[in-house]
Amino acid sequence: MVGIAVLAAGTITSIAAPVSLDDLAEDIANRARLGMEARVVYDDNILRLDGDQPVAPDRSKDDVRTTLSAVVDVAQRVSRQRLFLRGAAGYDFYRENRFLKRERIDATGGVDWQVGARCDGDASFRYGRGQTDLSDLGAPVRNTRESRTLTLDGGCTLGAGIHPEIGYRRRVIDNSAAVRLRSDLEAERVSAGIAVNRGGRLGLALALSSEALDFPNRPLADGRPDATRVRSATGRVTARGAALIASGVLGYVAADSRNAGARDFSGLVGGASLAWTPVPRLRLRASAGRDVDASGDVAAGYYLADRGELVGRYRIGRAVDFELAGRIERRRFRAVDLASAGARSFDRTAEARAALGWSPVERFRIGLEAVHARRTTDALYGTYRSTRGMLVLGLAF
């Protein structure tokens, strides 16, 4: 039954999310994993400047960021309920651009609940706080982005593997910089769906949702705050084999903005995802899709995103793993707030990544990563190229 609930929740909360071979697995183990982590990142364009943009005298285009964090991954089953807390909290230090130094927090806690033999679901709260990536800000400024997301969903199995479910999500994004306040977001979504699981190998799900996206600090000409209503109907099918999971999503979305001059959207969304483990040491994943969402960073009512990703991971021996990945994304923004810094109608991002991890002993891990990213946009600021390298040292207790 937990597998069915996960399938239904995945359909309601993310219409085109990629799958992995662990997506439908029930993790009921009690565990307490605590640790410390140090990350050292060199970025040759940390200010996200285009090639011909000048650098202010008191700033540096390239920089080294050091992040020290405490990491937690705790789960405890109490009777039928499973409590969990996972995430990291730390602080970013910059060698040159000290105006960017900031706390970095991303943690999720909650409960996977079960009532009787037929009803289950989850309740969780996620909190994030840190410096916004400068490529989304419209200017190289200090901005603390704080996000809070409450998610509730649950349902009961009626028989024959049929599992109706209802869900609720509220998310709030606040920005500290005065030039970014117009991007603050308050969003509420309600959803209902039904999933059918056939022997754990084939899952079908249908979901309806309605989400209100409110921008409280972005007044329109009539004095009301800007807002967008997004309604969707989606269907998802997931097939699972011993070494393969395939998932497909197809849906229809209508996004209507309160801004009289905005261009609304109605059309098809969806995507496909494939995760394959041809041999125990090798894992491959591919995904592509189209989705409609909102941003608390770029000042627009919503955006239409087309994404694609390829990931390959290979384990070398007992202690070493190697990963290669590539990602492309195109976002087209609607109901753009022209009064905001960094107003844009589109951006395109391409990223290539290589990572190597080594665990010489069970509780210690060393990681190396290299990333090259490019973004193009029609905004005055936000087109850039960046290459960064990272060293990660992790110690578990």
Side-chain angles (χ1 to χ4, degrees):
M1 281 176 236
V2 172
I4 300 174
V6 170
L7 175 62
T11 304
I12 291 172
T13 59
S14 183
I15 62 175
V19 297
S20 76
L21 293 176
D22 301 321
D23 273 352
L24 303 183
E26 180 180 2
D27 182 5
I28 62 173
N30 294 334
R31 64 179 184 271
R33 303 170 184 167
L34 306 176
M36 298 295 295
E37 185 179 86
R39 292 175 176 252
V40 181
V41 180
Y42 170 76
D43 195 321
D44 71 352
N45 189 5
I46 207 159
L47 296 181
R48 301 298 184 253
L49 298 174
D50 202 358
D52 58 353
Q53 287 181 296
V55 181
D58 59 341
R59 297 180 182 179
S60 174
K61 186 175 182 179
D62 66 324
D63 205 347
V64 175
R65 187 190 77 215
T66 301
T67 305
L68 303 177
S69 302
V71 182
V72 60
D73 184 5
V74 176
Q76 178 67 47
R77 182 164 289 278
V78 180
S79 184
R80 293 178 178 268
Q81 321 312 317
R82 179 174 176 268
L83 307 175
F84 64 88
L85 174 64
R86 55 181 177 267
Y91 203 87
D92 291 340
F93 300 90
Y94 289 81
R95 187 181 66 184
E96 302 293 341
N97 298 286
R98 297 183 180 181
F99 75 100
L100 292 175
K101 66 180 183 179
R102 191 84 77 264
E103 64 275 14
R104 181 183 293 266
I105 304 170
D106 188 0
T108 302
V111 57
D112 297 324
W113 58 265
Q114 185 172 352
V115 177
R118 293 180 176 271
C119 298
D120 52 19
D122 68 79
S124 66
F125 180 76
R126 181 174 182 177
Y127 179 80
R129 184 178 175 89
Q131 168 68 34
T132 307
D133 191 295
L134 296 182
S135 62
D136 283 334
L137 282 180
V141 298
R142 176 185 176 97
N143 181 72
T144 301
R145 182 185 192 272
E146 184 179 57
S147 63
R148 303 177 297 277
T149 304
L150 172 67
T151 304
L152 306 170
D153 66 69
C156 297
T157 301
L158 300 181
I162 299 175
H163 190 93
E165 181 172 316
I166 58 174
Y168 171 81
R169 186 183 74 175
R170 175 175 172 79
R171 53 177 172 158
V172 177
I173 298 175
D174 294 322
N175 296 278
S176 66
V179 297
R180 306 310 308 159
L181 295 181
R182 294 175 67 90
S183 295
D184 288 355
L185 170 66
E186 297 178 2
E188 281 191 306
R189 181 176 64 191
V190 293
S191 56
I194 185 169
V196 180
N197 191 316
R198 295 301 184 185
R201 292 187 173 274
L202 179 64
L204 304 173
L206 298 173
L208 300 174
S209 71
S210 178
E211 184 169 25
L213 308 170
D214 295 312
F215 304 92
N217 299 323
R218 192 187 303 169
L220 298 174
D222 60 6
R224 295 184 300 167
D226 197 359
T228 299
R229 172 76 67 175
V230 180
R231 299 178 177 87
S232 68
T234 60
R236 177 169 179 163
V237 57
T238 301
R240 178 173 184 170
L244 183 72
I245 291 181
S247 178
V249 180
L250 183 63
Y252 184 85
V253 170
D256 303 310
S257 173
R258 180 180 290 171
N259 190 332
R263 180 183 175 189
D264 293 331
F265 171 81
S266 60
L268 295 177
V269 296
S273 180
L274 183 69
W276 182 35
T277 303
V279 294
R281 293 182 180 272
L282 178 63
R283 176 172 294 186
L284 303 172
R285 179 166 59 84
S287 64
R290 166 175 288 188
D291 204 349
V292 172
D293 204 351
S295 169
D297 304 318
V298 178
Y302 63 98
Y303 62 83
L304 180 65
D306 296 296
R307 303 183 177 98
E309 185 178 35
L310 290 172
V311 181
R313 185 175 186 181
Y314 185 73
R315 179 168 290 278
I316 306 169
R318 180 191 62 82
V320 179
D321 52 81
F322 179 67
E323 183 172 292
L324 287 175
R327 179 182 69 89
I328 56 174
E329 179 182 55
R330 180 182 66 169
R331 297 186 297 179
R332 286 172 287 175
F333 296 90
R334 303 284 178 85
V336 176
D337 179 31
L338 298 178
S340 293
R344 65 186 65 176
S345 66
F346 80 93
D347 59 34
R348 292 190 296 267
T349 304
E351 184 177 280
R353 178 170 57 88
L356 181 68
W358 178 40
S359 300
V361 294
E362 182 180 356
R363 297 182 181 275
F364 182 64
R365 182 171 177 82
I366 301 172
L368 295 172
E369 182 175 299
V371 179
H372 180 73
R374 298 184 180 188
R375 172 173 285 183
T376 303
T377 179
D378 60 347
L380 295 178
Y381 176 87
T383 294
Y384 72 94
R385 294 185 182 185
S386 167
T387 300
R388 61 186 183 270
M390 179 170 63
L391 169 66
V392 183
L393 302 176
L395 178 64
F397 305 112

